[in-house]
Amino acid sequence: EGTDFNTQGYFVYDSKKAGAATISHLRFGKNKIKSSYLITQANFVACHQYSLIKRFDILDSAMEGAVFLLNSVHPADQIWSKLPLPLQETIVKKKIRFYVIDAYHVAKEVGMGNRINTIMQTCFFFIAGILPADEAIAAIKNAIRKTYSKKGEAMVLKNFEAVDKTIEHLVEVKVPAQVVT
């Protein structure tokens, strides 16, 4: 909303949700999108649940030079050694830019429990550059006001605070030239 971008979204998920992953295939662009639903060459990959990096080849579809965003309790200065070796190898080989945030920490800090959707969405728009950062943040806050105003101003303000804190906690990880065991 609020832009002249076209979008396409397709979501693959297990309706039972017991330990399953949801994979979102999203496209944004100025031109009309006429494409298959599944993305096989992604320029942005995000993993909202750290445990999934051990269960899936998260970066299989990542293009060379793509961005990888990981939600993790491990701080940026320790995260590299916590990644599985195949994931490290892919990041190095594909020259992937790597970002990390502890979205659960941010959510708890602002009183949102374990709700991280607003935080991860903010990371995406801040990193992806679809809109200039200040426009993206304003658009996110406008959407928050529309979505949560019926739940009260306190809920709106918690989400606003989460957006602001997200940028403070989002860190780009310096990718080493090689894997670390």
Side-chain angles (χ1 to χ4, degrees):
E1 289 183 19
T3 73
D4 57 353
F5 281 96
N6 292 288
T7 61
Q8 178 190 60
Y10 185 76
F11 307 91
V12 179
Y13 62 93
D14 181 348
S15 62
K16 295 180 181 136
K17 286 303 247 185
T22 298
I23 301 171
S24 304
H25 296 261
L26 305 171
R27 289 183 174 86
F28 299 88
K30 295 268 184 189
N31 299 323
K32 187 169 178 133
I33 299 169
K34 294 181 181 180
S35 187
S36 63
Y37 288 108
L38 299 180
I39 293 174
T40 57
Q41 293 291 302
N43 59 14
F44 192 105
V45 176
C47 180
H48 297 208
Q49 303 292 330
Y50 180 83
S51 63
L52 297 178
I53 66 171
K54 295 178 181 172
R55 293 179 41 210
F56 297 99
D57 184 358
I58 296 290
L59 297 176
D60 179 49
S61 66
M63 298 169 56
E64 183 166 329
V67 170
F68 176 45
L69 168 63
L70 178 63
N71 176 28
S72 172
V73 298
H74 303 294
D77 63 347
Q78 298 173 21
I79 188 64
W80 188 255
S81 64
K82 305 292 184 186
L83 299 177
L85 292 179
L87 188 60
Q88 289 183 30
E89 290 168 350
T90 300
I91 292 170
V92 170
K93 179 178 145 196
K94 292 186 176 183
K95 299 178 179 83
I96 291 175
R97 290 178 43 218
F98 179 29
Y99 290 82
V100 68
I101 187 164
D102 185 348
Y104 290 113
H105 172 78
V106 175
K108 286 180 184 133
E109 188 176 328
V110 300
M112 292 175 51
N114 63 357
R115 293 175 192 88
I116 64 167
N117 187 49
T118 297
I119 296 156
M120 297 304 289
Q121 179 184 51
T122 301
C123 289
F124 169 77
F125 280 103
F126 188 79
I127 297 167
I130 292 169
L131 296 170
D134 57 338
E135 286 182 39
I137 299 303
I140 290 168
K141 287 184 175 181
N142 185 42
I144 287 168
R145 181 151 308 277
K146 284 182 185 177
T147 303
Y148 295 111
S149 61
K150 291 179 183 173
K151 295 188 178 197
E153 188 65 12
M155 180 64 76
V156 170
L157 294 176
K158 279 182 189 180
N159 278 273
F160 281 6
E161 187 179 3
V163 169
D164 296 335
K165 295 257 183 214
T166 295
I167 306 310
E168 295 172 18
H169 288 82
L170 179 64
V171 178
E172 184 169 6
V173 176
K174 183 172 176 12
V175 175
Q178 58 195 25
V179 300
V180 175
T181 56

